[in-house]
């Protein structure tokens, strides 16, 4: 199982490849706000763990294992953004909150959140009831 740091790299690499068709060390470093030397070290570790294939000066490609994990991490991030939006977290807090919690939730918790969102989608009246209660409680706090 990848570490939280490895997950951040895999998620970023997966997104870059999805958006641009490739992932360069400089793009990864910029996206994660780290030094290129740190990226190179992590890429070598991810290569050793079979998440990607890296050839110095030639670039990298994700293995099937890396693609599967990268997609799973991107999906988790999007799910948590959707969840926090649905429960009424202020937009300006969502990215930071997701970054803060995504590595600390079990996949069981992620599945439960996914089920709750599906419940709200299937029964929009329940979501309206939740939002009404949230609004009521927020107003009573002020």
């Amino acid at each position: 199982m990848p570490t939280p740091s490895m997950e951040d790299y895999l998620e970023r690499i997966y997104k870059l490849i999805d958006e641009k068709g490739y992932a360069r060390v400089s793009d990864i470093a910029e996206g994660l706000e780290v030094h290129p030397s740190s990226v190179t070290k992590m890429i070598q570790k991810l290569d050793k763990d079979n998440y990607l294939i890296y050839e110095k000066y030639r670039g990298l490609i994700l293995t099937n294992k890396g693609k599967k994990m990268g997609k799973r991490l991107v999906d988790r991030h999007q799910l948590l953004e959707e969840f926090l939006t649905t429960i009424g977290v202020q937009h300006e807090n969502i990215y930071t909150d997701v970054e803060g919690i995504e590595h600390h939730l079990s996949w069981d918790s992620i599945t439960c959140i996914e089920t709750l969102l599906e419940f709200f989608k299937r029964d929009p009246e329940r979501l309206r009831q939740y939002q009404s209660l949230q609004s009521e409680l927020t107003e009573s706090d002020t």
Side-chain angles (χ1 to χ4, degrees):
M1 199 67 188
T3 65
S5 181
M6 291 168 75
E7 287 184 348
D8 286 339
Y9 278 85
L10 282 169
E11 183 179 354
R12 185 73 193 133
I13 291 166
Y14 182 88
K15 286 173 75 173
L16 282 167
I17 291 173
D18 188 50
E19 293 165 4
K20 299 169 86 172
Y22 59 90
R24 296 183 316 204
V25 168
S26 59
D27 295 327
I28 299 165
E30 182 182 326
L32 295 175
E33 298 178 352
V34 298
H35 292 286
S37 60
S38 299
V39 174
T40 301
K41 286 178 189 173
M42 181 58 79
I43 285 174
Q44 291 168 343
K45 172 130 180 66
L46 292 169
D47 183 9
K48 182 177 159 273
D49 290 349
N50 299 313
Y51 287 104
L52 55 82
I53 298 168
Y54 174 64
E55 292 184 31
K56 197 171 185 175
Y57 307 116
R58 300 199 80 202
L60 60 90
I61 59 168
L62 289 171
T63 62
N64 286 337
K65 177 182 175 181
K67 287 177 191 174
K68 183 178 176 182
M69 182 57 73
K71 179 170 179 9
R72 189 175 187 196
L73 297 169
V74 168
D75 290 348
R76 174 183 70 184
H77 191 99
Q78 292 170 343
L79 176 77
L80 291 172
E81 282 185 1
E82 182 183 354
F83 174 66
L84 295 180
T85 299
T86 299
I87 63 171
V89 173
Q90 293 179 11
H91 182 73
E92 61 269 14
N93 296 328
I94 290 177
Y95 180 80
T96 304
D97 287 352
V98 169
E99 288 299 311
I101 65 174
E102 68 184 338
H103 300 297
H104 302 287
L105 292 174
S106 67
W107 287 104
D108 180 52
S109 294
I110 297 297
T111 300
C112 290
I113 290 170
E114 190 173 34
T115 302
L116 180 62
L117 287 173
E118 182 61 28
F119 174 75
F120 283 144
K121 286 176 186 172
R122 289 184 184 188
D123 191 350
E125 180 55 32
R126 290 287 188 188
L127 179 57
R128 283 189 286 280
Q129 290 172 353
Y130 168 80
Q131 290 167 336
S132 176
L133 175 61
Q134 183 182 37
S135 187
E136 178 185 315
L137 293 174
T138 303
E139 287 173 12
S140 68
D141 288 343
T142 56

